[in-house]
Amino acid sequence: MKTTKNTETAAAKKKGTATTQSKSKGTAVKAKSSAAEGLRELFVESLKDIYWAEKALVKALPKMAKNSTSENLITAINDHLEVTKGQVARLEQVFESVGEKVTAKKCDAMEGLIKEGESIMEETQQGPVRDAGIVAASQKIEHYEIATYGTLAAFAQTLGEQEALSLLQQTLEEEKEADTLLTEAAYNNINFEASEEDEQ
């Protein structure tokens, strides 16, 4: 009787293991034939992704500035536009430093963030409320870029790409500064003006 119970327990465990394995198989993502196999390939693919993202941002920022009413915000966006153009050129240097051809690959994340910003502008009246929405959308973009450049810098360091690391860290610091400026713009007047509109 004891043997039968042990056999049943073993069978149940085996069945549980099989179920877990089948579940994990169901969640596995099939890789594309062009999928990165090593960290260097992942690094280069990520560079292509953020290169597309920065170029898309160069086109999107003027629209954000045009739809803003706060002078501080307009200045911050226009200043960041010039910085972003410099970041595009710096990424080209990164490609060159690691011996890769400058290539852009569509960045779904940045496309989504830009579309969200456009939706906010469509759903708000021009004025402080729209300005607050533009700040929110811009900060989401900055946070995505901070995360991306932080990761790329870590990859470059691991791969021993010192020149690329230095260039990526410069951009990372610029993105952090832009985020700080947007926060100051929001807390200094934009959010308060938007709140006052609600009370009127």
Side-chain angles (χ1 to χ4, degrees):
M1 192 79 178
K2 195 173 180 183
T3 309
T4 308
K5 193 172 182 181
N6 286 346
T7 308
E8 284 173 359
T9 306
K13 279 184 180 176
K14 194 173 180 182
K15 188 181 177 184
T17 306
T19 308
T20 307
Q21 284 174 343
S22 66
K23 280 182 183 175
S24 64
K25 279 181 185 174
T27 58
V29 175
K30 189 177 178 184
K32 293 179 181 179
S33 58
S34 59
E37 290 182 11
L39 185 62
R40 179 169 289 277
E41 283 182 75
L42 179 60
F43 174 62
V44 173
E45 288 303 303
S46 300
L47 281 176
K48 292 175 184 177
D49 199 68
I50 195 65
Y51 184 63
W52 186 97
E54 294 290 20
K55 291 183 85 172
L57 200 51
V58 166
K59 293 176 186 174
L61 286 170
K63 188 175 180 180
M64 287 184 176
K66 195 174 180 181
N67 279 276
S68 303
T69 53
S70 161
E71 287 302 322
N72 284 349
L73 182 56
I74 293 167
T75 301
I77 292 170
N78 285 331
D79 286 351
H80 194 58
L81 173 60
E82 294 310 309
V83 170
T84 304
K85 288 176 184 176
Q87 290 170 348
V88 169
R90 193 179 293 135
L91 277 170
E92 290 166 1
Q93 287 180 267
V94 173
F95 276 106
E96 192 179 327
S97 77
V98 297
E100 293 287 338
K101 184 182 175 184
V102 177
T103 313
K105 183 183 79 175
K106 186 180 174 184
C107 175
D108 294 332
M110 183 59 80
E111 183 183 45
L113 288 166
I114 289 171
K115 280 184 180 176
E116 185 178 343
E118 288 171 353
S119 294
I120 288 170
M121 288 187 278
E122 288 167 6
E123 293 164 8
T124 52
Q125 293 290 336
Q126 191 162 27
V129 175
R130 183 181 288 178
D131 286 352
I134 289 170
V135 169
S138 299
Q139 286 198 290
K140 286 181 184 181
I141 289 169
E142 291 309 321
H143 289 188
Y144 171 74
E145 289 182 309
I146 288 166
T148 300
Y149 282 110
T151 300
L152 284 169
F155 285 173
Q157 186 166 20
T158 303
L159 293 165
E161 295 288 356
Q162 292 305 314
E163 187 181 346
L165 174 60
S166 176
L167 292 165
L168 291 164
Q169 283 178 330
Q170 285 179 54
T171 301
L172 178 59
E173 290 310 311
E174 287 173 352
E175 299 298 2
K176 287 178 180 178
E177 186 181 344
D179 181 51
T180 300
L181 290 171
L182 285 165
T183 300
E184 287 173 358
Y187 283 105
N188 284 348
N189 53 17
I190 292 171
N191 286 355
F192 295 109
E193 287 173 12
S195 176
E196 282 169 13
E197 284 219 341
D198 284 347
E199 291 167 10
Q200 287 173 5

